[in-house]
């Protein structure tokens, strides 16, 4: 059953990526929506789940929050190091738009794939616990995988990667929950490592949303419609989380 539900997540991920491709003439709206979706996923889904799962504290601070901050800093450091390397090789403005290194986009998309893989593992584990838990997690995974596909394609192309690479990352992101769900037939992922991973990944996503995607969305088109797309993205994730609970 978990694998069957994961196939639904596969289709929703592809639908999200297809939507991101089809609205290229409204790029600022796409980026505004992507930023809102990512902010909503981090603040309303990933971070609360990480706090519940990784409950240990280190020097008075929950482990999930430490990893959340660590993920933010790692994303910032990696992006700056890649940008410096590009400049050192004679690409002063970088290979991507606005001096962005394409490797950052691929790395971010790969992180999205890893997140989708963890979604599949969580889905399989939930069905092992019981049908009711499985249905709840299935609703959350399938609905927010549309946002995952949308963000995976958007992140890859935002940093100047060609469409072919973006489509490959989208396909990998779509297949990941199916692989993750099938893997639970062999093993299960302990709750605490999963919570630690979610905290770290949330920090990475927040950096990309706040420091890259949203500024880019409002750079050339500081319109009310772009802002409304961002707010709508957050509200959409809130609705998904509310229905899942």
């Amino acid at each position: 059953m978990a694998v069957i539900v994961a196939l639904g997540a596969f289709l929703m991920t592809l639908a999200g990526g297809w939507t991101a491709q089809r609205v290229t003439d409204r790029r600022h709206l796409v980026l505004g929506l992507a930023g809102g979706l990512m902010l909503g996923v981090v603040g309303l889904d990933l971070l609360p789940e990480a706090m519940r799962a990784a409950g240990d504290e280190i020097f008075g601070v929950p482990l999930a929050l430490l990893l959340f901050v660590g993920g933010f800093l790692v994303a910032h450091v990696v992006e700056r190091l890649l940008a410096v390397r590009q400049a050192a090789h004679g690409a002063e403005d970088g290979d991507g738009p606005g001096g962005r290194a394409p490797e950052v986009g691929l790395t971010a998309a790969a992180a999205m794939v890893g997140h989708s893989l963890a979604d599949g593992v969580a889905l399989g584990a939930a069905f092992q616990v019981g049908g009711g838990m499985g249905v709840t997690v299935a609703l959350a995974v399938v609905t927010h995988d549309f946002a995952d596909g949308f963000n995976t394609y958007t992140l890859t192309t935002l940093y100047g990667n060609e469409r072919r690479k973006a489509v490959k990352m989208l396909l990998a992101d779509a297949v990941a929950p199916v692989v993750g769900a099938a893997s639970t037939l062999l093993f299960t992922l302990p709750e605490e490592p999963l919570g630690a991973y979610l905290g770290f990944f949330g920090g990475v996503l927040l950096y990309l949303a706040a420091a890259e995607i949203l500024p880019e969305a409002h750079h050339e088109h500081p319109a009310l419609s772009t802002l409304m797309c961002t707010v709508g993205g957050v509200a959409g994730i809130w609705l998904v989380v509310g229905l899942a609970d």
Side-chain angles (χ1 to χ4, degrees):
M1 179 61 70
V3 176
I4 293 174
V5 173
L7 290 175
F10 171 87
L11 295 175
M12 287 294 286
T13 302
L14 292 181
W18 180 85
T19 301
Q21 291 183 61
R22 301 297 295 179
V23 291
T24 52
D25 58 332
R26 293 288 185 269
R27 184 169 179 269
H28 59 290
L29 299 181
V30 173
L31 294 175
L33 178 61
L37 291 172
M38 291 171 71
L39 177 60
V41 166
V42 171
L44 306 179
D45 185 15
L46 292 182
L47 195 54
E49 182 62 31
M51 291 289 291
R52 286 192 292 267
D56 294 339
E57 290 190 356
I58 297 179
F59 206 62
V61 179
L63 175 62
L65 289 182
L66 285 175
L67 289 171
F68 175 76
V69 175
F72 189 98
L73 291 175
V74 166
H76 177 58
V77 170
V78 168
E79 186 192 31
R80 290 297 90 205
L81 288 178
L82 287 173
V84 169
R85 186 175 67 84
Q86 291 286 338
H89 282 78
E92 184 174 350
D93 294 328
D95 291 338
R100 294 185 173 90
E103 291 90 340
V104 175
L106 293 176
T107 302
M112 294 295 295
V113 174
H115 170 57
S116 294
L117 184 67
D119 276 349
V121 172
L123 181 62
F127 273 100
Q128 289 178 358
V129 171
M133 174 68 72
V135 171
T136 300
V137 175
L139 176 62
V141 169
V142 171
T143 49
H144 96 251
D145 269 4
F146 179 88
D148 284 352
F150 190 98
N151 289 335
T152 298
Y153 186 88
T154 302
L155 280 170
T156 307
T157 55
L158 176 64
Y159 285 84
N161 291 287
E162 58 188 21
R163 179 180 179 275
R164 178 176 55 84
K165 291 184 178 180
V167 171
K168 286 183 178 180
M169 296 307 299
L170 175 63
L171 289 174
D173 190 46
V175 171
V178 181
V179 175
S183 72
T184 59
L185 300 175
L186 304 175
F187 67 92
T188 56
L189 185 67
E191 186 178 37
E192 288 191 4
L194 178 60
Y197 161 77
L198 291 177
F200 182 85
F201 180 64
V204 173
L205 279 190
L206 181 63
Y207 175 81
L208 294 173
E212 299 295 331
I213 290 183
L214 290 178
E216 180 71 15
H218 293 277
H219 177 61
E220 296 182 357
H221 298 276
L224 179 61
S225 57
T226 307
L227 179 61
M228 293 307 296
C229 281
T230 302
V231 174
V234 175
I237 296 299
W238 188 12
L239 177 63
V240 168
V241 172
L243 291 175
D245 289 341

